[in-house]
Amino acid sequence: MKENYEARIQELLGKMTLEEKIGQLQQCGPSLVGAFEVSFEELLNMMFDGRISEEEFGRLMSTAEQDFHEDDLRAGKIGSYNGVGDAATANRLQKIAVEETRLGIPLIFGYDVIHGFRTVTPIPLGESCAWDPDLWKRTGRMAAQEASAAGVHMTFAPMVDVAKDARWGRVSEGAGEDVLLNGCYGAAKVQGFQGEDLSNDDSIVACVKHFAAYGAAEAGRDYNRVDMSPQRLWEEYLPSYKACVDAGAMAIMPAFNDISGVPCSVNRSLLMDVLRDKWGFEGMTVSDANAIAECVNHGIAADREDAAVQAIHAGMDMDMTSNVYTENLAELVRSGKVDEADLDRAVADILRTKFAAGLFDNPYQTSEEREQNTILRPEFRILAREAAQKSIVLLKNEGNLLPLSENMKIGLAGVTAFQRGEMLGAWAVGANGEDCVSLAEGLVAAGAEVVSLMAGKDAENPESGAKEADISDEISVTEMNISGLAGNYAALSADCDVIIAAIGETKDQSGEAASHADITLPDEQIAMLKGLIATGKPVIAVLFNGRPLAIPFVAENVPAILEAWHPGVEAGNALADILFGKVNPSAKLTTTFPYTSGQCPMYYAHINTGRPGGKAKFTSKYLDTPLTAVYPFGYGLSYTTFAYRDLAVQAGEDTVTVTVTVSNTGTCAGDEIVQCYFRRHTGKRVRPVKQLAGFEKISLEAGEEKTVSFWITREQMGYYDAEMNFVTEGGKFTFFAGGNSADCLDGEVDIF
Ligand code: GLC
């Protein structure tokens, strides 16, 4: 039963001075005092605009001591920190807050625990391909156990921004293009992070982000405008955040972007009318980094003071590192420009979250001993390996080239195959690349004989070749002349049985501020593949990437393809498990893979238009690119095969029941993610040709079959009319069931 803290909150508020109230709204990042004597944020800006190199920035980061503004903390001017990730520092700062400030209000420590803390699991886009809420919850629980041991009280996760544009780098951080799937993923993560009781020492507050519709950034360019109808916002984006609020999330992070001209950080309609009044959210809102101050750049606030007035009135409780509240609110309240009731409401939200997190009753929720005994526990690595196994998608397996036998001699190409750190993916803030198992190491650990094809000299240009690639070494990209080695693949792979080629992106090519106008595989990787194919050996491509890539060449010319994403600390072992058939792959894509960047945004739940794409000239299509996807949403293969039959659709008063029989028609056991979609043929507004209504992962022995049922409610089939009335009227519907969004059985029914 949720405890009622209101009396304790009001009692505390009654004692607080104006400055102490404002202090609760201030979240600081650990600033770095280095040779430049500037703040961490300024140092970042200096790197971004090229005044210092990334190497210089890294050197400064490593040499500078951290400044936690302890005098301000003692004066009650700080309520939270972002980025403190060790027990000793957290407890030291907490001691100052609890024992050296007038009211002893505990700090709440926030951190980006996006896909694991030290035991890094696959990037969220990868883990979403497991279609497995139980797994998502378990990895969330593990992340909470590990992060809370390091002093973290709140994670800035789950990210449930529906993302339909592969150019946007942050597609890597969420659960793909479908709003139902993002909602299921987010709710499971909230339950995992917050546990059975949020006040437990090993529970952390889930801060759902980025509210809202950040994934709809125009042109896939990060931080760009978001402009859409209210109908689309409510049908295709808001439900994933609401699922997390309904799951009990106690924090929300408004997004950097505007929605139809009003930045989320100052969007009262979003933060008060929707979040509080409609959805009953009782936790706290915390801005994105510097986002309140950036409302001046947006052009919605005249200056920082104006930004502070608008944000506090809109329902933005905590200011992450922009300092506009701490600089302006006291004078604004005293002058009457800001109603102190708005300030009190924000403080109450933050205090309520701190009470719910158990911080008042137990401000010291970890110790260095607990941290030491928790980080990278063996059972965490076992779960990370399971998560990676269930996230890796088998996209192609011509001639059943996979699984390999362990006595095969493997030629390994592509620098990423030898790199550990790249396996972390984006947003592995507290992690250490050295904790990862590279693909090369995983293959060797599985007992395979592996020859590096990245070694040796370029036949025409011997001095340009790369150093002999020792399988156990992590090799930096600069040491590899990957473009010029085509000449000696044949020689190097002469006595290999198969070749495995690691292709894709580095971990820094997706995530924040990592949009790509072109998502095509780079030329030098295509050249490498051509050289490998020319050897005549069977080639298996393993993709390491943080977004859907345009890979028509690979799909056309490489017989076996695994989409591994950035799989985390157990990357190499999980890949070896799949490559050698210890685990039968079961993952399915949660984003569409286009042929070209020009098709973006591309997604399965599209509308039909008045001239559906086809052969005829005057229809909606491209002259230079197919209208279909290279691989569609929901697609993924197995080492066995599945057949669907006997789809039945039964319309009841308020629910439609869809049943389908699935059989394992292959030679080994396997898991199949059965998907159910529907289409409303006619509406007061045009409707998508397919919408995911439900999914179920089933396990079938070879020859076994199972009948799966889905129940879809009128509510699920509802939508908004032109006047924003939510309508659930009947009509002609088609229901689909299948193993991906493009290849389904279907049945039509009239609903009255
Ligand atoms: C970043 C990201 C956000 C993250 C925050 C705190 O700018 O937008 O996702 O949680 O800063 O690090």
Side-chain angles (χ1 to χ4, degrees), residues 107-178:
L107 291 162
I108 185 165
F109 291 102
Y111 204 92
D112 287 290
V113 187
I114 311 300
H115 51 109
F117 180 67
R118 272 295 296 281
T119 306
V120 174
T121 47
I123 56 169
L125 184 61
E127 197 185 15
S128 72
C129 294
W131 297 60
D132 188 340
D134 171 65
L135 172 72
W136 298 332
K137 182 176 176 180
R138 286 186 289 125
T139 52
R141 187 87 292 275
M142 170 180 77
Q145 288 170 326
E146 203 171 51
S148 60
V152 174
H153 300 141
M154 167 168 65
T155 174
F156 303 120
M159 187 270 218
V160 291
D161 302 336
V162 169
K164 306 180 186 206
D165 194 324
R167 294 171 293 179
W168 191 52
R170 306 200 75 166
V171 63
S172 64
E173 301 173 43
E177 69 184 61
D178 182 78

Side-chain angles (χ1 to χ4, degrees), residues 82 112 114 156 170 173 209-210 214 223 253 256 287-289 320 427 512:
N82 168 14
D112 287 290
I114 311 300
F156 303 120
R170 306 200 75 166
E173 301 173 43
K209 69 187 186 184
H210 304 80
Y214 185 13
Y223 314 121
M253 180 186 288
F256 283 124
S287 78
D288 206 331
M320 183 189 286
W427 283 108
E512 183 173 1

Side-chain angles (χ1 to χ4, degrees), residues 155 157-158 160 190 206-211 240-241 244-245 249 251-254:
T155 174
V160 291
V190 169
C207 178
V208 185
K209 69 187 186 184
H210 304 80
F211 191 56
S240 59
Y241 307 100
C244 297
V245 170
I252 291 268
M253 180 186 288

